[in-house]
Amino acid sequence: NNSNFAYQTGKATATESLLLGVNLNFAPVADINNNPENPVINIRSYSENKNFVSEFCKSFVRGSLEGGVIATAKHFPGHGNTRVDSHNDLPIIRGSKEYLFKNELKPFIDLIENNIQAIMIGHLNVPAFDKEKNLPASLSYNIVTKLLKEKLGFEGLIVTDALNMKAVTNFFKPGEECVQAFKAGNDILLMPVDIRAGITAIYNAVQSGEISEKRLNDSVRKILSAKRWLKLDKSKFKNIKSIPKRIRLQDHYHLSTIIAENSVTVVKINDSLLPLDSTKYMKTLLINISNRKSTTDQYFSKIYNEQFPIYSGITLTSASVGTDYLFATDIARDCDMIILAAYFSVRNDINGKSLSDLQINFIDELLKLNKKVIIISFENPYIL
């Protein structure tokens, strides 16, 4: 809950980016993660609280700009409230205009008022702002020009999300999506499926008058302005020989350690359990559980072993079957304390569900044993 960490992270990221010759960062994520089953935003968002998201994004952007890198708020007009991953299909964001202005749009409005230099448009169907079916916001004139540029007064760089995502390719042909996105009001068309087809389509649209030369010049001028801010008119390229093979900035390692230590959150625990005392519990069970197919030896297992030299250990992954979970439950019945070390990555798929039914049922069975059970989520708070 310390937005100063976001500021320091923004500045540190900018410093490291410039060392690699990167001067435009597609961050921060200004989406409000108000749907815990969101498979693509999830822990990329600062919070499900709009005020937190706004404050932390502003802090990150301030750090990035001080570090000399352009920050990009994404995914306008807000990708948080969906269970669909736009890499796979076109999400629909529900809600009235009034609701979206008070919630999804709030971080973007605050960032615009604080002079954010670039905004990325998401591939989201938002009926409140454009009723055309199967039209992503990134290709919508009503959303990019009417809403973002005219209503909200944004004059900075506008970039599409990657145009090779299925939220676009499911409905538009190569080249066609580039013309539509440019006409919508975007300045930079990111990662079309076919770059040559995209360039040709834009060229032909300008030649035929479908896109005016003035409209083209408007975007070119904004891009040149951004390059001038980055001082690329004085130093265009990073010398390949000056790029470090490895970045080791001690201050940044120290910063990441401090943030990690401060981020540990006790949601619910019996105070008598902490600190863990190996003299109190003779029979303990450490379960590493993950939604990956395999899990390497975890750091926590090593430090647990230092405190509890004698304990039972078991690893359960997405490859584990019912008998594996029954075996773990049988061992748990004979233990005084059970530690469940959970390593659940955010799943980039349609349903966004991190835990399988088998794993949920297993945890329920553990809790029914009336033993001392501690669950530690190392990656994803939403599994709680």
Side-chain angles (χ1 to χ4, degrees):
N1 295 347
N2 182 351
S3 62
N4 186 48
F5 285 149
Y7 160 75
Q8 292 182 65
T9 303
K11 197 165 184 178
T13 304
T15 301
E16 296 191 3
S17 297
L18 287 178
L19 286 172
L20 297 172
V22 174
N23 45 46
L24 172 64
N25 185 11
F26 292 143
V29 170
D31 303 316
I32 304 157
N33 197 57
N34 43 17
N35 186 332
E37 290 192 340
N38 192 315
V40 64
I41 302 305
N42 209 284
I43 56 174
R44 296 162 71 197
S45 164
Y46 280 115
S47 175
E48 59 274 10
N49 180 306
K50 62 186 178 185
N51 297 316
F52 266 53
V53 172
S54 185
E55 181 187 352
F56 277 66
C57 281
K58 286 189 292 184
S59 295
F60 181 94
V61 169
R62 186 163 54 88
S64 182
L65 296 186
E66 282 186 26
V69 168
I70 292 176
T72 311
K74 63 184 185 184
H75 307 79
F76 186 87
H79 200 321
N81 193 12
T82 178
R83 293 180 64 201
V84 175
D85 180 350
S86 49
H87 291 88
N88 300 326
D89 205 351
L90 181 62
I92 299 175
I93 305 297
R94 306 287 183 187
S96 65
K97 283 184 183 179
E98 185 183 21
Y99 174 83
L100 294 172
F101 263 93
K102 286 182 179 176
N103 293 278
E104 266 66 14
L105 288 176
K106 185 186 188 303
F108 293 100
I109 292 169
D110 289 350
L111 285 165
I112 291 168
E113 289 174 354
N114 282 268
N115 300 315
I116 181 79
Q117 288 172 296
I119 287 178
M120 178 182 282
I121 313 294
H123 303 318
L124 314 157
N125 186 253
V126 191
F129 297 125
D130 197 321
K131 299 199 182 306
E132 188 173 335
K133 195 178 178 185
N134 297 332
L135 181 67
S138 50
L139 275 62
S140 165
Y141 182 83
N142 286 338
I143 291 175
V144 181
T145 295
K146 290 287 188 186
L147 175 61
L148 180 59
K149 294 168 83 169
E150 296 177 5
K151 176 87 173 170
L152 301 182
F154 180 63
E155 296 178 348
L157 275 179
I158 303 176
V159 55
T160 68
D161 203 345
L163 292 169
N164 61 1
M165 291 161 62
K166 289 182 180 176
V168 174
T169 59
N170 283 354
F171 308 102
F172 293 88
K173 295 173 185 173
E176 177 189 27
E177 90 285 27
C178 288
V179 171
Q180 183 90 358
F182 195 71
K183 287 170 67 176
N186 294 283
D187 303 305
I188 297 174
L189 312 180
L190 184 66
M191 295 168 65
V193 173
D194 186 332
I195 293 174
R196 185 179 291 274
I199 292 171
T200 302
I202 293 282
Y203 177 84
N204 290 338
V206 174
Q207 289 290 87
S208 69
E210 185 181 354
I211 293 173
S212 72
E213 207 164 313
K214 180 189 178 301
R215 167 69 190 90
L216 190 66
N217 287 338
D218 286 344
S219 286
V220 172
R221 192 173 288 111
K222 283 161 72 174
I223 292 166
L224 290 174
S225 175
K227 287 184 174 184
R228 187 169 57 190
W229 185 86
L230 292 165
K231 298 182 173 61
L232 296 182
D233 52 335
K234 295 183 178 68
S235 176
K236 288 186 181 179
F237 302 107
K238 184 81 178 170
N239 186 337
I240 198 79
K241 292 178 182 175
S242 71
I243 294 177
K245 289 183 179 177
R246 186 177 284 176
I247 297 174
R248 289 190 177 278
L249 300 179
Q250 208 53 48
D251 287 352
H252 296 178
Y253 278 91
H254 182 59
L255 173 64
S256 66
T257 302
I258 292 172
I259 293 173
E261 288 174 350
N262 278 274
S263 74
V264 177
T265 303
V266 178
V267 178
K268 185 177 74 171
I269 200 162
N270 182 332
D271 288 340
S272 64
L273 275 173
L274 291 178
L276 296 181
D277 186 348
S278 58
T279 63
K280 283 185 183 176
Y281 307 104
M282 299 305 294
K283 291 183 177 180
T284 69
L285 171 62
L286 173 61
I287 303 170
N288 287 320
I289 186 167
S290 173
N291 62 352
R292 297 181 178 88
K293 288 182 181 177
S294 62
T295 177
T296 54
D297 189 24
Q298 304 293 348
Y299 175 72
F300 181 71
S301 301
K302 294 174 184 174
I303 60 170
Y304 188 81
N305 187 42
E306 291 169 9
Q307 298 296 320
F308 291 81
I310 302 171
Y311 69 94
S312 299
I314 194 165
T315 296
L316 297 168
T317 68
S318 62
S320 301
V321 295
T323 50
D324 298 319
Y325 288 95
L326 288 172
F327 177 64
T329 307
D330 285 341
I331 296 174
R333 283 194 181 91
D334 195 36
C335 292
D336 308 318
M337 182 176 68
I338 301 145
I339 306 281
L340 200 66
Y343 302 91
F344 284 89
S345 60
V346 176
R347 291 284 297 278
N348 258 13
D349 55 23
I350 294 296
N351 62 25
K353 192 173 177 183
S354 292
L355 288 83
S356 68
D357 291 337
L358 196 59
Q359 290 167 328
I360 291 171
N361 292 336
F362 166 67
I363 294 171
D364 283 343
E365 289 303 312
L366 276 187
L367 296 174
K368 286 176 187 173
L369 296 177
N370 287 323
K371 305 281 184 177
K372 289 180 170 61
V373 180
I374 299 174
I375 299 175
I376 309 172
S377 180
F378 283 97
E379 293 184 54
N380 186 354
Y382 293 106
I383 69 161
L384 297 177

